[in-house]
Amino acid sequence: MSHSYCNPLKHRSHEQVLVSVHQRQDQGLDVLWKMVIVLLTCVLISLPISADSTGSTLPNIYILGTGGTIAGTGSSETDLTDYTAGVLDIDSLIASVPELPLYANLTGEQICDIDSSQMTPEIWLNLSRRINELVQDPAIDGVVVTHGTDTMEETAYFLNLVVKSEKPVVMTGSMRPSTALSADGPLNLLDAVILAGSPEALGKGVLILLNSQINGARETTKTNTEMVGTFRSPDFGLFGYMDGTTPRLYRQSLKNHTTASEFDVSGLSHLPRVDIVYLYPGMDQTAIDAFIAHKTEGFVIASLGNGGMPDSVHSALLKAVDKGIPVVVSSRTGTGVCTTEESRFISADSLNPQKARVLLMLALTQTQDPEEIARMFRIY
């Protein structure tokens, strides 16, 4: 039996053949596109979602500007000390670091525009109120404060005692103005934003970040007039540092702060007046008498060594205590616990004079009882 092969195209018209070919081509393209779409979908599903492509996974960081060297400008790139602080506003600072949007969704606000040598307790109160408003917003993950370095440690310690949240609050600034060759401000700001958006910074209190070093508000002090590595914690060491764009934290303070603090300044328009008396050989009571005449409410003494002072100063301070003016004794050495032998004076513990002044101001908003104030100096 013979078999014949039937060619289906043989019995169809030319037009029918063309239509059939085109239909098969279209069907092939449809299959090809479907395969491409499936492959692309698989690739996209396998890739991690990019934080900077959607913004949905980036932290929301609020930056408050107060001026300072980080916002300063000089006449040339080599003017590292002869410049004007607080020239640039916070929006200009943010715009000067184009990498910032890769790490956070940012909002900027100007609180003041000053050299931090002009900082006042009234600005502290305004700043703390604004931060406490911001951290209550569930959409805000952290706050960065740009600040001059001269009084940064005092502002940081004040905020450490009055901010009522575990959300990160990070202070930063710079030692060189924005116009300087190798200005340190841009990297400091980037590091601060990354740290403020980091889970590792939660509950650590107010942090100070410059020169890629992370320090706590209570122990940190400015130690050099010009060098970028000026902020240090002489007694207890830094909390950690920035490893590239990764915060590395190794310790935290055991002293009360933020949510564990009893101080509430939300309804205050001013803080009690507290004055620092810096002691030296041969000093008499002139400065003490002058401060009392001008209605001081408390004294912090930068003593000689571990509470040492001339007899004339000692007698004048005891008279101040008799008038109901508390006397807190710190040391001009800059490190160590001050264990004054005078029972009527209050030890500053390990706080330097400028930090002790901040705590005494806040203590006096609560009480004038020396024993209660001494308790506060033991736990904060």
Side-chain angles (χ1 to χ4, degrees):
M1 181 181 291
S2 64
H3 298 277
S4 64
Y5 175 73
C6 180
N7 185 350
L9 297 180
K10 181 178 179 181
H11 305 288
R12 301 171 67 181
S13 68
H14 180 67
E15 289 79 4
Q16 288 175 322
V17 171
L18 288 177
V19 169
S20 176
V21 170
H22 289 158
Q23 286 176 340
R24 292 182 181 182
Q25 287 176 338
D26 290 342
Q27 291 172 351
L29 287 174
D30 287 342
V31 171
L32 179 61
W33 277 115
K34 288 178 181 178
M35 291 176 65
V36 169
I37 291 171
V38 169
L39 288 172
L40 286 174
T41 301
C42 291
V43 170
L44 290 172
I45 291 174
S46 66
L47 290 174
I49 296 175
S50 173
D52 57 2
S53 65
T54 66
S56 61
T57 62
L58 293 177
N60 298 314
I61 304 300
Y62 212 98
I63 306 179
L64 299 175
T66 67
T69 298
I70 192 171
T73 59
S75 59
S76 74
E77 291 185 340
T78 56
D79 280 337
L80 303 184
T81 58
D82 184 17
Y83 58 87
T84 302
V87 174
L88 303 179
D89 62 22
I90 194 60
D91 291 332
S92 299
L93 282 183
I94 293 173
S96 70
V97 188
E99 296 81 3
L100 283 173
L102 299 176
Y103 297 95
N105 302 313
L106 302 171
T107 305
E109 180 181 333
Q110 200 73 38
I111 297 294
C112 60
D113 236 335
I114 60 170
D115 184 313
S116 74
S117 63
Q118 306 306 309
M119 183 57 65
T120 66
E122 288 70 32
I123 297 176
W124 286 347
L125 290 170
N126 291 336
L127 182 59
S128 66
R129 277 192 288 269
R130 186 62 181 129
I131 293 174
N132 275 321
E133 290 172 356
L134 293 171
V135 294
Q136 296 308 311
D137 185 345
I140 293 175
D141 298 300
V143 175
V144 170
V145 179
T146 60
H147 196 288
T149 59
D150 284 353
T151 58
M152 182 184 291
E153 64 186 271
E154 287 138 292
T155 301
Y157 187 48
F158 177 79
L159 295 175
N160 197 52
L161 297 174
V162 301
V163 169
K164 303 300 183 182
S165 175
E166 292 194 349
K167 290 182 180 180
V169 176
V170 181
M171 305 277 298
T172 195
S174 72
M175 292 299 290
R176 297 170 181 166
S178 64
T179 50
L181 187 67
S182 193
D184 53 324
L187 181 57
N188 288 343
L189 182 56
L190 178 63
D191 283 348
V193 166
I194 294 172
L195 181 61
S198 168
E200 287 79 7
L202 289 168
K204 302 299 190 301
V206 175
L207 301 173
I208 295 176
L209 195 158
L210 286 90
N211 200 36
S212 297
Q213 296 180 328
I214 304 167
N215 283 284
R218 184 187 185 276
E219 296 90 6
T220 306
T221 188
K222 185 176 181 178
T223 64
N224 190 282
T225 58
E226 296 182 18
M227 299 297 101
V228 294
T230 181
F231 281 95
R232 299 183 181 276
S233 300
D235 275 329
F236 308 112
L238 49 76
F239 278 17
Y241 56 88
M242 295 298 295
D243 179 12
T245 56
T246 302
R248 307 286 189 190
L249 287 162
Y250 297 93
R251 75 170 190 91
Q252 59 185 325
S253 177
L254 297 179
K255 296 294 186 177
N256 289 7
H257 59 75
T258 54
T259 56
S261 171
E262 65 200 88
F263 302 115
D264 182 1
V265 296
S266 58
L268 299 181
S269 60
H270 68 280
L271 294 172
R273 174 171 179 163
V274 172
D275 292 294
I276 298 174
V277 179
Y278 193 96
L279 302 192
Y280 50 87
M283 183 179 180
D284 62 19
Q285 67 269 27
T286 302
I288 296 167
D289 292 343
F291 282 132
I292 292 174
H294 285 82
K295 310 300 183 185
T296 191
E297 296 175 65
F299 280 118
V300 172
I301 308 303
S303 70
L304 309 173
N306 189 11
M309 62 185 68
D311 289 341
S312 59
V313 171
H314 184 270
S315 298
L317 291 174
L318 286 177
K319 292 177 182 177
V321 172
D322 289 337
K323 296 177 184 292
I325 302 172
V327 174
V328 174
V329 182
S330 180
S331 175
R332 68 179 197 174
T333 63
T335 61
V337 174
C338 197
T339 56
T340 175
E341 295 181 358
E342 174 56 65
S343 61
R344 300 178 66 188
F345 298 159
I346 299 165
S347 168
D349 196 274
S350 61
L351 291 174
N352 63 24
Q354 55 268 36
K355 299 279 184 69
R357 175 177 177 261
V358 171
L359 181 52
L360 182 54
M361 294 169 82
L362 288 170
L364 287 170
T365 67
Q366 303 284 325
T367 182
Q368 290 184 319
D369 182 351
E371 291 187 4
E372 267 295 286
I373 296 173
R375 175 190 65 83
M376 293 173 182
F377 272 85
R378 288 192 296 269
I379 66 174
Y380 290 104

